[in-house]
Amino acid sequence: MEQKHPLPPFTLETAKQKIQMAEDAWNSQNPERVSMAYTIDSEWRNRHLFINGRKRSSSF
């Protein structure tokens, strides 16, 4: 399984770093970059829809 640093347990400093990394990815408005923040088995919930995982990129 792919691991993204920093990993838990988080200190205040590493928690802020993790949050900033997520914010930077979202703000990039780059769908591929945003999708890489989530694992293949992530479960998304959008009101009545449940979406599992993410599409595999053909470039990896």
Side-chain angles (χ1 to χ4, degrees):
M1 176 181 260
E2 176 183 354
Q3 295 184 335
K4 306 269 182 172
H5 292 274
L7 298 172
F10 296 111
T11 64
L12 179 59
E13 184 177 321
T14 58
K16 287 180 179 179
Q17 180 184 4
K18 188 79 166 183
I19 291 166
Q20 187 64 58
M21 290 168 62
E23 185 177 316
D24 291 346
W26 276 102
N27 288 339
S28 74
Q29 297 184 7
N30 178 329
E32 187 162 328
R33 182 175 175 197
V34 172
S35 73
M36 295 308 293
Y38 299 90
T39 62
I40 298 297
D41 60 351
S42 292
E43 185 172 299
W44 293 62
R45 181 182 177 277
N46 184 9
R47 295 186 179 109
H48 67 284
L49 302 174
F50 291 85
I51 304 166
N52 294 313
R54 59 179 158 84
K55 279 178 97 174
R56 287 184 180 246
S57 174
S58 59
S59 62
F60 293 101

